[in-house]
Amino acid sequence: GGGGGGMKGYRAAEDEAKKHSSDLGTIAAAKHARLQQESREKQEGLQEEMERLRREMDSSMGAMGAGIRRVQEEKAHITGMEQRIRQEFGMQTQAASQSNGELRMRLDALQDGFVQLRDIARQSPGKP
């Protein structure tokens, strides 16, 4: 019956080994699960970070866009004002040259009138 006892001891050792390997398997599985979890969290963290960066970029691009639009509006406004001023100046210059012309015509007319008056005065028989 001594051989049977040997078998029992072998079986016990085998069970122990199985239990050990299953413990190792459990540990390995737990480690694997933890690593997966960590990697998933890291990935989520990176995605959140990327999303945050993209939002920041979008908002700063938006702000830049708004700034550029504001500058363009200002530029358009200034250009418009410039054109209006030029137009106004042109009209005033034109008016001035017209009024100068008119003044000259009036002066000429006045001079003609004086000349005529002088001639009449010379010809006037009432002269002493």
Side-chain angles (χ1 to χ4, degrees):
M7 272 307 272
K8 217 180 203 172
Y10 179 73
R11 176 78 41 77
E14 204 177 53
D15 286 348
E16 191 58 40
K18 268 187 191 158
K19 184 176 178 299
H20 188 65
S21 79
S22 100
D23 285 353
L24 281 179
T26 306
I27 289 168
K31 230 181 209 171
H32 181 69
R34 202 179 71 234
L35 285 173
Q36 266 189 327
Q37 177 69 15
E38 279 176 13
S39 113
R40 200 169 30 245
E41 284 170 5
K42 260 186 196 152
Q43 207 176 354
E44 284 169 6
L46 280 174
Q47 282 176 339
E48 282 171 19
E49 183 68 10
M50 289 287 291
E51 195 60 33
R52 191 178 63 77
L53 284 172
R54 206 177 60 191
R55 276 196 306 268
E56 273 180 20
M57 216 177 78
D58 282 351
S59 81
S60 63
M61 290 291 281
M64 268 175 51
I68 289 169
R69 273 196 301 280
R70 232 188 344 268
V71 167
Q72 284 171 340
E73 284 168 13
E74 280 291 303
K75 204 172 157 192
H77 179 64
I78 289 170
T79 305
M81 275 175 56
E82 234 177 359
Q83 283 173 345
R84 274 201 300 280
I85 290 170
R86 274 210 197 95
Q87 216 173 355
E88 185 66 24
F89 182 71
M91 278 161 56
Q92 283 178 1
T93 308
Q94 208 176 357
S97 66
Q98 276 178 353
S99 60
N100 279 346
E102 278 177 30
L103 280 176
R104 247 193 314 273
M105 279 167 56
R106 285 183 189 162
L107 274 174
D108 289 349
L110 277 175
Q111 280 178 333
D112 284 353
F114 277 126
V115 168
Q116 286 175 2
L117 278 174
R118 205 176 51 215
D119 288 351
I120 291 169
R122 275 198 192 130
Q123 294 164 6
S124 162
K127 234 179 151 188

